[in-house]
């Protein structure tokens, strides 16, 4: 049994890390924030040219046909760099939904454009305070159109299309919607993460195409969310590890009373704790990535465990990184805030931790608890 990445996956990680280190350093992130930009177009083009956008898309639609673990390698590097591109919304969410539930015509229309980066997609599932996963979606599909409101929707200001969780006469389903329609209104929301904007989207009889394979198959839609959550786990692991080494490097350089901050036992304990939490989360993410492709029966447990451990590790690492940096860590000039903001955003993406904790407990044999 191999507990490590394959050589090809390690090469993929190195290639992604090198590109992101070159094109998306912290100073570049500050430039984007100062310019109120929602995405780094130069980085998006570079990511597309290397084929990363088509990593998990079938070859017949212009992708590379790689697996969830390969995609996870890229997601991890995106998280490490806090990359300001809609990779998660467009590729992890929208492309997977269309590839899983779309008909041949829908795949031919959308997947090549998503793989090339010419079109940006997103997933619209949440409906504000009604809950991130409403049993009966307020957005309804009828006579080839959708109506209702979805909020918040990540990277919706960049997206030209959205896969929308809706109901068809009370039956759950997914629909593809062209967001450039004049029947769609978008309103930008205040976002804690300045590099991942969120929107409210209003659909007023907006033309839509039902993803037929999703109709009345809520369990399959939950499996889609499980797979997406695996990728958010990889993203969180990448961010957590970046915090570990950021804190370590600062502690080794910072002098306190004539000796390095890292020489103090309390700091050593903090660094050790966040490293252990990060490695634990990585192990769960690896297994969940494998289960996504190879063991559907294990996916619900694996995805829930990965989601919980990665969220906990990233929160702990981001907070301890701030603490180790001290006062300077709270300034715009330091890099800590990029990860603290992204960690807070990921913590609420795809539902709160309680949902995933309930989903994990609900998979225990004999336990009838079900996540709401």
């Amino acid at each position: 049994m191999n507990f490590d990445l394959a050589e090809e996956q390690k090469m993929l990680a190195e290639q992604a890390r090198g590109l992101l280190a070159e094109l998306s350093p912290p100073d570049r992130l500050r430039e984007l924030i100062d310019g109120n930009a929602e995405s780094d177009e130069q980085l998006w083009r570079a990511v597309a040219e290397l084929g990363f956008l088509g990593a998990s898309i079938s070859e017949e639609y212009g992708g590379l046909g790689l697996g969830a673990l390969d995609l996870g390698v890229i997601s991890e590097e995106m998280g490490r760099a806090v990359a300001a591109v809609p990779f998660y919304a467009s590729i992890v969410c929208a492309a997977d939904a269309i590839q899983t539930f779309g008909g041949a015509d829908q795949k031919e229309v959308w997947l090549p454009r998503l793989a090339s980066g010419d079109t940006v997609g997103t997933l619209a599932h949440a409906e504000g305070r009604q809950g991130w996963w409403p049993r009966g979606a307020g957005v309804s599909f009828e006579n080839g159109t959708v109506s209702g409101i979805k909020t918040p929707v990540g990277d919706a200001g960049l997206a030209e299309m959205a896969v929308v969780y809706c109901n068809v006469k009370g039956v759950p389903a997914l629909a593809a919607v062209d967001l450039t329609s004049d029947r769609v209104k978008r309103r930008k929301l205040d976002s804690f993460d300045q590099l991942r904007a969120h929107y409210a989207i209003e659909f007023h009889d907006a033309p839509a195409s039902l993803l037929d394979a999703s109709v009345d198959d809520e369990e399959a839609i939950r499996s889609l969310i499980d797979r997406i959550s695996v990728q958010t786990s990889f993203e969180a692991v990448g961010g957590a590890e970046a915090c570990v080494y950021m804190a370590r490097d600062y502690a080794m350089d910072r002098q306190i009373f004539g000796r390095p901050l890292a020489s103090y036992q309390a700091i050593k304990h903090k660094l050790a704790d966040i490293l252990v939490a990060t490695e634990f989360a990585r192990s769960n993410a690896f297994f969940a990535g494998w289960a996504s492709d190879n063991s559907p029966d294990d996916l619900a447990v694996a995805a829930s465990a990965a989601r919980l451990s990665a969220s906990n590790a990233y929160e702990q690492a981001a907070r301890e990184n701030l603490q180790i940096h001290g006062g300077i860590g709270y300034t715009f000039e330091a890099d800590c805030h990029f990860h603290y903001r992204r960690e807070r955003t990921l913590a609420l993406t795809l539902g709160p931790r309680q949902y995933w904790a309930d989903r994990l407990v609900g998979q225990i044999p004999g336990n009838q608890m079900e996540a709401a």
Side-chain angles (χ1 to χ4, degrees):
M1 184 177 293
N2 189 354
F3 291 97
D4 200 1
L5 295 174
E7 288 302 318
E8 294 81 2
Q9 292 166 332
K10 291 179 180 179
M11 291 175 61
L12 179 63
E14 291 175 3
Q15 187 178 30
R17 187 178 304 186
L19 174 70
L20 291 163
E22 177 184 356
L23 297 183
S24 188
D27 285 345
R28 175 57 177 163
L29 299 181
R30 291 185 183 85
E31 290 178 8
L32 295 171
I33 292 174
D34 287 339
N36 293 318
E38 294 186 16
S39 178
D40 189 332
E41 295 183 6
Q42 179 185 5
L43 178 60
W44 185 245
R45 289 194 299 270
V47 168
E49 289 173 0
L50 286 177
F52 292 163
L53 302 185
S56 60
I57 295 175
S58 300
E59 293 182 69
E60 61 181 307
Y61 299 112
L64 300 178
L66 301 179
L69 194 53
D70 304 288
L71 185 64
V73 165
I74 301 174
S75 294
E76 182 175 343
E77 297 308 322
M78 292 287 181
R80 188 189 312 279
V82 199
V85 290
F87 181 83
Y88 166 77
S90 189
I91 305 306
V92 172
C93 296
D96 191 347
I98 294 171
Q99 188 158 245
T100 301
F101 297 107
D105 291 344
Q106 292 165 327
K107 292 178 181 179
E108 290 175 3
V109 168
W110 296 114
L111 290 181
R113 292 158 63 178
L114 292 172
S116 66
D118 293 337
T119 292
V120 173
T122 190
L123 176 68
H125 55 82
E127 298 192 0
R129 294 186 178 182
Q130 294 183 28
W132 83 277
W133 184 267
R135 289 217 182 280
V139 172
S140 59
F141 177 94
E142 188 175 0
N143 299 324
T145 66
V146 292
S147 296
I149 300 174
K150 289 292 185 181
T151 181
V153 184
D155 287 320
L158 303 168
E160 290 92 12
M161 67 83 61
V163 175
V164 180
Y165 179 62
C166 59
N167 76 78
V168 184
K169 297 181 179 179
V171 173
L174 297 172
V177 182
D178 184 349
L179 296 183
T180 63
S181 167
D182 59 5
R183 296 284 184 172
V184 177
K185 305 299 181 184
R186 289 178 268 192
R187 174 172 54 86
K188 190 173 183 180
L189 305 173
D190 292 334
S191 179
F192 185 61
D193 188 342
Q194 297 162 294
L195 296 170
R196 182 169 289 177
H198 288 76
Y199 283 72
I201 306 181
E202 298 180 16
F203 302 100
H204 302 278
D205 294 322
S209 174
L210 200 63
L211 303 186
D212 290 331
S214 70
V215 178
D216 200 20
D217 196 348
E218 187 164 353
E219 192 54 42
I221 298 175
R222 287 186 184 275
S223 294
L224 168 69
I225 298 299
D226 285 340
R227 292 197 303 275
I228 293 173
S229 76
V230 172
Q231 298 304 317
T232 65
S233 300
F234 275 107
E235 184 177 354
V237 168
E241 186 171 74
C243 290
V244 170
Y245 290 109
M246 189 188 303
R248 182 206 63 181
D249 292 346
Y250 180 81
M252 292 177 68
D253 289 340
R254 182 76 166 94
Q255 296 290 315
I256 301 291
F257 300 118
R259 53 188 283 199
L261 179 61
S263 67
Y264 290 89
Q265 194 74 5
I267 300 300
K268 293 179 181 179
H269 286 169
K270 286 179 179 291
L271 292 172
D273 286 344
I274 57 178
L275 178 60
V276 169
T278 300
E279 290 304 311
F280 177 67
R282 174 176 282 109
S283 297
N284 279 314
F286 277 7
F287 177 67
W290 175 86
S292 296
D293 291 329
N294 299 285
S295 186
D297 291 342
D298 292 324
L299 179 58
V301 170
S304 300
R307 166 72 175 171
L308 288 168
S309 59
S311 296
N312 291 339
Y314 200 7
E315 178 181 17
Q316 183 181 358
R319 289 178 183 272
E320 294 291 20
N321 186 33
L322 275 170
Q323 290 293 317
I324 290 172
H325 275 73
I328 195 173
Y330 291 84
T331 66
F332 188 67
E333 288 69 25
D335 300 335
C336 305
H337 63 97
F338 296 125
H339 288 286
Y340 185 76
R341 292 173 185 274
R342 181 57 51 86
E343 178 274 317
R344 290 288 80 201
T345 299
L346 290 182
L348 296 176
T349 299
L350 296 179
R353 293 181 197 178
Q354 190 59 51
Y355 166 83
W356 293 101
D358 291 346
R359 185 155 172 75
L360 178 60
V361 173
Q363 303 305 311
I364 298 174
N367 194 318
Q368 300 301 314
M369 179 181 292
E370 182 180 357

